[in-house]
Amino acid sequence: MKYRDFGTTGMKVSQLVFGGGAVGGLLINQDDETKLTAIRRSMEAGINWIDTAPSYGQGRSEEALGWLLKEIDEEPYVSTKFAIDTNNLKDIPGQIERSLEASLKRLQCESVPLLQLHNKIGENVAERLLPVSYILGTDGVLDGLQRLKEQGLIEYVGITAVGELPSILQVIESGRIDSAQVYYNMLNPSAGFELPPSWPVYDFSGILDACQKYGMASMNIRVFSAGIIATDERTGRESPLTPGDTVESEAMKAKAIFQTIGTEYGTRAQTALRFALAQPKLSCVIFGLAELEHLEEAIAAEEKGPLPAAGLEKVRSVYQE
C-alpha cells in the first residue's frame, strides 16, 4: 500500500480509504464475522483510514466501528461527519456539538481526527443546501468546529465539496479548513481537468487546484458513482449525487467508456480506482464495498498502480467523441 500526504497536516494516509457508506453497505448489512474479516484484511493490506457518517445506516456504520476497532491491534484514522438542519439555523455550533457527541458515543471513542460538514454548499438556504454565510460567518460552522478543536474532540475539519461551485471555492479559499471530500470519477473528473463540451457534466472545475493552493487534503468520493461505474447489476441503492444526472444517463456514459477501454486494466471497479489513483492531486480514494470480494478487488487494483498514460488517453478519447 502506498501513502500520500494528507494536505499539510503531517499525516500520511493510505491511497485507499475504507468507506463505511450506505451504498456499499458492508458495515451496515453484513454479518458481524464478515465485518470483522473486512476490517482485519484492510489493516493487513495497509489501509489506515476508515470514513463513516451518522447518516450511514442511521448510525449503524458508526456503531459497527465502535466494537470492530476494539477487536484489532491497529489504530486507523477514523473520520465522521455532521449535517446541519437547514430548517433550524439558530444554533449551528450546538447542532455540531450534539452530532459529534452522539457519533463519539456510537464509535466508543473520545475524539476523532477529522470531522466533516456533510451538507451541500450554496448561496441560499435550501433542503440540505447550506449558504456560505452560515459556514464562514460568526457562530457559523467553522466557529463551532474551532470550539471542538479547542476541546480536543477533533484535530482537523473538512467539508463535502458538493453543491454550487462558486460557493464551494469560496469556502476552500477561506483557508480555514483542512480537507475536502471531492467528487471525482471516470464519468465526471471535472474537479481535476477540463472536459470538452461533447461530454457534459456537472461542473466542479478548479476544486483540486484550489485544495492544492491552500494546502488542503482532498478525499476522493463517488469513485464508482454509487456502483454505476463498477457494474451493470443494480441494488436499488444507486443515487447520482450531481444535478441533471440519472442512473440511466450515467450508465450510458459508463458503457461508452468500457466499450473503448475494455478489461485491459482490470475489472470495471479496478479500472475506476486506477483512474482515480492516476490523479496526483488527490490525497486518497474512498471506496465503498458490499462484499469481501470487493475489498480484494480494490487491494489488487492499488497494487497494479495508477492507470497508465495509454489508458488515460483511451478514456479521454471517449470524452472527445
Side-chain angles (χ1 to χ4, degrees):
M1 181 68 61
K2 292 183 173 60
Y3 299 83
R4 300 188 185 188
D5 291 327
F6 195 70
T8 55
T9 65
M11 293 191 294
K12 292 281 189 179
V13 59
S14 51
Q15 292 191 121
L16 295 185
V17 167
F18 188 108
V23 175
L26 185 141
L27 292 183
I28 299 166
N29 302 318
Q30 287 285 7
D31 60 83
D32 289 353
E33 183 179 352
T34 300
K35 294 173 185 176
L36 184 55
T37 300
I39 294 297
R40 284 177 170 164
R41 175 65 179 121
S42 297
M43 300 299 104
E44 177 187 285
I47 292 173
N48 70 351
W49 197 299
I50 302 172
D51 183 69
T52 186
S55 61
Y56 297 162
Q58 296 181 320
R60 283 180 290 158
S61 176
E62 290 181 327
E63 288 172 352
L65 287 172
W67 69 266
L68 286 167
L69 295 178
K70 295 183 182 303
E71 298 294 321
I72 60 175
D73 296 327
E74 298 85 352
E75 296 183 4
Y77 299 118
V78 175
S79 52
T80 192
K81 309 177 185 74
F82 64 93
I84 297 299
D85 180 1
T86 54
N87 295 310
N88 179 17
L89 296 171
K90 291 181 179 180
D91 182 16
I92 289 176
Q95 283 196 50
I96 301 171
E97 185 173 359
R98 289 188 291 274
S99 178
L100 177 60
E101 181 181 4
S103 288
L104 293 179
K105 184 176 181 179
R106 287 188 289 266
L107 290 166
Q108 301 182 41
C109 61
E110 296 181 355
S111 64
V112 289
L114 176 66
L115 184 62
Q116 305 159 98
L117 174 67
H118 213 182
N119 294 74
K120 296 181 179 181
I121 299 170
E123 184 177 355
N124 300 304
V125 177
E127 186 66 29
R128 288 192 61 84
L129 189 73
L130 190 65
V132 173
S133 58
Y134 286 96
I135 299 173
L136 303 181
T138 302
D139 286 331
V141 168
L142 295 184
D143 280 358
L145 289 170
Q146 180 60 35
R147 294 173 197 175
L148 297 177
K149 290 176 71 173
E150 291 168 357
Q151 295 174 48
L153 297 174
I154 60 175
E155 289 185 71
Y156 302 106
V157 301
I159 62 169
T160 303
V162 295
E164 299 167 3
L165 181 60
S167 298
I168 296 167
L169 293 174
Q170 187 177 346
V171 176
I172 293 173
E173 291 165 0
S174 73
R176 296 175 61 189
I177 54 178
D178 303 297
S179 70
Q181 291 202 319
V182 180
Y183 190 103
Y184 185 90
N185 58 42
M186 296 179 78
L187 307 185
N188 183 355
S190 62
F193 58 84
E194 186 177 356
L195 292 164
S198 55
W199 191 265
V201 295
Y202 190 80
D203 187 18
F204 291 113
S205 298
I207 288 180
L208 286 180
D209 284 340
C211 287
Q212 277 205 325
K213 180 179 178 180
Y214 290 92
M216 288 175 49
S218 49
M219 305 178 76
N220 183 193
I221 59 172
R222 293 285 176 140
V223 67
F224 302 136
S225 192
I228 296 171
I229 297 174
T231 178
D232 286 329
E233 296 180 8
R234 298 290 169 250
T235 65
R237 298 192 295 273
E238 295 83 9
S239 55
L241 189 64
T242 44
D245 290 317
T246 64
V247 172
E248 291 75 21
S249 69
E250 294 212 325
M252 182 174 63
K253 287 183 175 181
K255 180 179 180 180
I257 289 171
F258 285 103
Q259 280 180 337
T260 295
I261 201 169
T263 57
E264 181 178 355
Y265 302 102
T267 65
R268 286 172 52 164
Q270 289 176 325
T271 305
L273 281 170
R274 296 181 70 191
F275 177 86
L277 291 173
Q279 174 51 264
K281 296 173 186 176
L282 289 170
S283 304
C284 54
V285 179
I286 302 172
F287 71 101
L289 63 161
E291 310 286 345
L292 291 175
E293 290 80 3
H294 298 165
L295 177 58
E296 295 301 335
E297 196 173 2
I299 293 169
E302 194 274 342
E303 291 174 349
K304 290 174 182 287
L307 201 65
L312 292 172
E313 187 56 38
K314 287 182 179 180
V315 178
R316 285 177 180 262
S317 72
V318 181
Y319 301 153
Q320 295 291 341
E321 294 167 6

